[in-house]
Amino acid sequence: MIRDRVTRKRKFNCKWAALTQEQLNTILQAVQDVSFTLTTIDMETGTRQSYTVYVGDRSAPVYWYPSTNNTTWMYASLSMNFIEM
């Protein structure tokens, strides 16, 4: 078997814990474009690097929903993948 590497793409798995509805909306709105720049610490070099990425599947399970006395939704977490283009 012969294998030629054409390119190398990075995938970043990210997760935030215990978010309000406003915090969740802020993050989701920041990643709504088809592609965007993600700046993070490169695991191999330990330096800041910027990547052009798109977002994969998003998951945000509801932790608590409002009763009649409260209108603030809480989410247990938000997770999503960022894949390099």
Side-chain angles (χ1 to χ4, degrees), residues 44-61:
E44 294 175 358
T45 64
T47 60
R48 286 176 65 105
Q49 298 290 326
S50 294
Y51 304 93
T52 301
V53 299
Y54 65 93
V55 66
D57 292 336
R58 301 156 192 93
S59 176

Side-chain angles (χ1 to χ4, degrees), residues 1-7:
M1 176 188 278
I2 298 173
R3 181 175 102 172
D4 291 330
R5 180 183 289 181
V6 176
T7 187

Side-chain angles (χ1 to χ4, degrees), residues 35-82:
S35 66
F36 51 91
T37 301
L38 174 71
T39 302
T40 186
I41 301 296
D42 184 272
M43 296 178 292
E44 294 175 358
T45 64
T47 60
R48 286 176 65 105
Q49 298 290 326
S50 294
Y51 304 93
T52 301
V53 299
Y54 65 93
V55 66
D57 292 336
R58 301 156 192 93
S59 176
V62 174
Y63 172 67
W64 180 85
Y65 57 89
S67 66
T68 56
N69 299 331
N70 193 329
T71 59
T72 303
W73 286 75
M74 289 295 296
Y75 293 83
S77 63
L78 169 64
S79 60
M80 64 182 78
N81 301 320
F82 300 113

Side-chain angles (χ1 to χ4, degrees), residues 23-34:
Q23 292 168 323
L24 181 82
N25 290 348
T26 298
I27 296 169
L28 291 176
Q29 289 171 9
V31 300
Q32 69 183 351
D33 290 340
V34 173

